[in-house]
């Protein structure tokens, strides 16, 4: 084990985390109200008739019969993803086919269970349980549930509490981050970076300065636990804290006076720490009022009318100028694969001060074929949606998560490129936006011949024209711990990122990282790939 990791882990085990006096200035004033989300958990209440009376018609008798026949089989939808629903979301979904698709289980989900239990090989970047450290920021799993569950969730293995086979052969569920371990890790990493002149001596990563609280949904946690995370991270040296949440859609009343009193107090005590709320509206039906005919309600000036409690919660976030609020969403079949809906989403959110951050192509999770829109279709939908939007309303880009980082779908062309074999039907251009360590491949591109049916990178493997970015010619780092993830529930084959080698011998950190040319690519990058260790 490398010395800096050994020191960090020894420190983690010494004692339970003890808040400082400064932290107590926040923690001592926190209130923890009880929230009545009126949640229905699982399909059983619908099948047995024990769900609240008005909920019982959410699934038809045939839908319940079809789902019941799958119970206990490999196609059991709740083994893939548990069912969960709040009353607030139920009330909206009753009149919205898009929202029903988002939360209602369907037998279609498990027709094809192909996919990767660890999309983008996230566990390669997990030095300690519950933490992913890939860029200059870290993501923390602080909870394993949400107020309601999206059927297309990218973290179905965490939400479903599935046992995953690790690289060392152990089989266990993904664990959650612990405050003491995380703060020790941040401090140890940043001390090594500072002592080495700005980059880590073994991994090349910069200072760890931004932390994303994720899961699950952190806003399901009580205020006291949120405050404990905020203050501990601030004490550890975090310059910015992100909160990834869909609670504004599932239960906006969570953003109440007690929550804002806590976060205001945190800002008073730690004024230099930026707060960023990464919210998750998939469709305008999640926040706009509709009439009996299903049309959005506009006032006399043409402004679309919000659901009052959702608007109050959003306004309360936005009006605090020290909090940035940004929306991001995947484009999902049957949910928001509609240019008009995406246009209304972007325009309306920007109108109340919420930025449009990313739109995503679906990941290659287990059963992804039931949810994902073809990559080229998603690009066309987003571009069509941004016709009629102003420049500031249309900042969002379309990205897809590759092992190497977030990759933009930059362009899809219709015209052939004369003299270039494979470009007879046009090309797709991918550009690397986020890249681990010191981001050596940021801005580099990969060009492939079009495949309008492609849902994932591997469906372009036979038509690579230029691979400057190494999306199809990069092997996985040969010394990184590589989890052979597989759910016990589903023994379906996993998909490797295109061009990746089979898992290499198990070691703790990178020893070397070499590229091999893709056999169908005429161009390969001669520069060595950056070392990308578990750090």
């Amino acid at each position: 084990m490398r010395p800096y990791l050994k020191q960090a882990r020894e420190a983690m085990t010494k004692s339970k985390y003890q808040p400082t006096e400064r932290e107590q200035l926040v923690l001592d004033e926190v209130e923890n109200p009880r929230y009545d989300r009126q949640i229905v958990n699982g399909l059983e209440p619908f099948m047995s008739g024990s769900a609240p009376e008005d909920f019982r018609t959410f699934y038809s008798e045939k839908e319940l019969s079809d789902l019941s026949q799958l119970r206990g089989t490999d196609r059991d939808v709740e083994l893939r993803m548990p069912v969960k629903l709040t009353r607030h979301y139920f009330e909206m979904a009753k009149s919205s086919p898009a929202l029903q698709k988002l939360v209602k289980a369907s037998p279609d989900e498990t027709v094809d269970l192909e996919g990767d239990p660890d999309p983008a090989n996230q566990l390669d970047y997990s030095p300690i349980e519950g933490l992913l450290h890939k860029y200059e920021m870290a993501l923390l799993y602080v909870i394993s549930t949400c107020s309601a569950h999206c059927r297309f969730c990218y973290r179905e293995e965490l939400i479903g509490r599935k046992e995953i086979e690790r690289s060392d052969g152990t089989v266990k569920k993904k664990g959650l981050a612990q405050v003491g371990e995380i703060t020790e890790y941040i401090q140890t990493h940043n001390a090594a970076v500072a002592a080495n002149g700005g980059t880590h001596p073994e991994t090349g990563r910069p200072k760890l300065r931004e932390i994303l609280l994720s899961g699950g949904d952190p806003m399901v946690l009580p205020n006291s636990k949120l405050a404990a995370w905020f203050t501990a991270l601030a004490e550890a040296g975090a310059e910015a804290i992100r909160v990834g949440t869909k609670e504004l859609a599932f239960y906006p009343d969570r953003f109440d006076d007690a929550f804002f009193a806590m976060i205001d107090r945190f800002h008073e005590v730690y004024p230099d720490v930026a707060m960023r709320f990464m919210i998750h509206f998939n469709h305008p039906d999640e926040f706009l009022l509709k009439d009996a005919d299903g049309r959005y309600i506009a006032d006399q000036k043409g402004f679309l009318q919000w659901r009052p409690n959702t608007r109050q919660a959003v306004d309360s976030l936005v009006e605090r100028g020290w909090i940035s609020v940004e929306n991001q969403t995947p484009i999902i079949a049957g949910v928001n694969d509609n240019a008009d809906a995406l246009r209304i989403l972007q325009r309306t959110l920007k109108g109340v001060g919420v930025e449009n951050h990313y739109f995503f192509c679906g990941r290659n999770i287990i059963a992804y074929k039931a949810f994902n829109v073809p990559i080229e279709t998603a690009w066309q939908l987003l571009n069509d949606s941004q016709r009629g939007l102003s420049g500031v309303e249309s900042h969002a880009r379309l990205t897809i998560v590759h092992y190497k980082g977030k990759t933009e779908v930059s362009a899809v062309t219709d015209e052939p490129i004369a003299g270039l074999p494979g470009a007879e039907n046009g090309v797709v251009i991918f550009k690397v936006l986020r890249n681990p360590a010191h981001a050596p491949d940021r801005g580099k591109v990969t060009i492939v011949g079009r495949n309008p049916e492609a849902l994932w990178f591997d469906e372009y493997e036979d038509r690579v024209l230029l691979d400057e970015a190494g999306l199809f010619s990069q092997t996985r780092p040969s010394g990184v711990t590589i989890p052979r993830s597989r759910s016990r529930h589903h023994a379906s084959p996993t998909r490797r990122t295109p061009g990746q080698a089979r898992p290499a011998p198990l070691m703790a950190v990178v020893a070397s990282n070499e590229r091999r040319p893709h056999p169908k690519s005429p161009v390969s990058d001669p520069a060595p790939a950056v070392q990308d260790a578990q750090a």
Side-chain angles (χ1 to χ4, degrees), residues 228-242:
W229 274 114
F230 294 164
T231 55
L233 293 172
E235 286 290 314
E239 298 175 11
I241 299 172
R242 295 192 199 184

Side-chain angles (χ1 to χ4, degrees), residues 432-504:
V432 174
L433 294 178
R434 304 292 309 281
N435 193 220
H438 62 284
D441 293 325
R442 178 180 169 83
K444 291 185 178 181
V445 302
T446 291
I447 303 175
V448 298
R450 289 191 61 178
N451 178 3
E453 304 303 316
L455 297 172
W456 190 245
F457 286 105
D458 61 359
E459 291 173 282
Y460 291 109
E461 280 192 304
D462 61 349
R463 54 194 75 198
V464 177
L465 306 178
L466 170 72
D467 196 16
E468 176 191 61
L471 300 183
F472 291 85
S473 61
Q474 163 109 10
T475 63
R476 293 176 76 166
S478 61
V480 170
T481 298
I482 299 173
R484 295 294 301 275
S485 303
R486 189 179 299 276
S487 166
R488 281 185 170 179
H489 295 313
H490 300 309
S492 56
T494 62
R495 290 191 165 202
R496 293 174 291 115
T497 299
Q500 288 177 1
R502 293 288 179 183

Side-chain angles (χ1 to χ4, degrees), residues 100-333:
Q100 290 177 31
K101 175 73 173 179
L102 193 147
V103 293
K104 282 180 69 172
S106 166
D108 294 344
E109 296 175 20
T110 54
V111 169
D112 187 336
L113 290 169
E114 184 176 0
D116 192 340
D118 182 30
N121 306 317
Q122 298 279 32
L123 286 178
D124 283 8
Y125 301 94
S126 182
I128 57 176
E129 202 70 33
L131 177 144
L132 302 179
H133 182 185
K134 198 170 188 179
Y135 312 114
E136 74 290 339
M137 63 171 289
L139 179 149
L140 306 183
Y141 297 138
V142 298
I143 189 170
S144 61
T145 191
C146 304
S147 287
H149 290 160
C150 303
R151 303 310 301 165
F152 58 81
C153 182
Y154 288 173
R155 306 249 171 83
E156 51 91 24
E157 82 290 345
L158 179 69
I159 303 295
R161 306 303 294 137
K162 297 178 182 178
E163 293 186 323
I164 302 296
E165 184 178 347
R166 309 301 181 96
S167 57
D168 61 1
T170 60
V171 178
K172 60 181 178 179
K173 299 171 183 176
K174 282 187 175 180
L176 301 181
Q178 303 299 314
V179 173
E181 293 181 355
I182 297 302
T183 54
E184 288 286 357
Y185 177 83
I186 294 170
Q187 291 167 337
T188 301
H189 172 83
N190 286 350
V193 168
N196 194 51
T199 60
H200 196 279
E202 297 178 20
T203 69
R205 286 194 177 92
K207 178 183 179 182
L208 184 48
R209 57 184 178 80
E210 187 164 346
I211 308 297
L212 167 61
L213 300 185
S214 186
D217 194 324
M219 290 302 296
V220 174
L221 294 172
N223 291 333
S224 57
K225 289 191 176 181
L226 285 174
W229 274 114
F230 294 164
T231 55
L233 293 172
E235 286 290 314
E239 298 175 11
I241 299 172
R242 295 192 199 184
V243 178
T245 182
K246 192 172 171 59
E247 193 75 341
L248 286 166
F250 287 150
Y251 186 66
D253 290 346
R254 173 65 180 86
F255 293 81
D256 61 357
D257 290 344
F259 168 74
F260 284 111
M262 178 274 288
I263 204 167
D264 286 343
R265 181 59 173 161
F266 171 77
H267 181 60
E268 290 175 6
V269 177
Y270 296 96
D272 296 328
V273 178
M275 293 294 300
R276 296 166 182 162
F277 275 73
M278 313 304 294
I279 66 174
H280 188 186
F281 286 123
N282 299 107
H283 192 282
D285 283 5
E286 293 178 319
F287 53 82
L288 293 179
L289 290 171
K290 299 166 73 175
D291 63 22
D293 295 321
R295 295 184 295 244
Y296 295 128
I297 300 173
D299 65 15
Q300 293 180 342
K301 295 183 178 180
F303 290 102
L304 300 181
Q305 298 300 288
W306 282 64
R307 294 180 177 274
N309 56 346
T310 309
R311 178 63 185 270
Q312 181 178 344
V314 169
D315 285 348
S316 295
L317 283 171
V318 171
E319 71 187 13
R320 289 163 165 81
W322 47 275
I323 298 178
S324 64
V325 186
E326 305 203 28
N327 190 66
Q328 52 189 14
T329 173
I331 298 177
I332 300 296

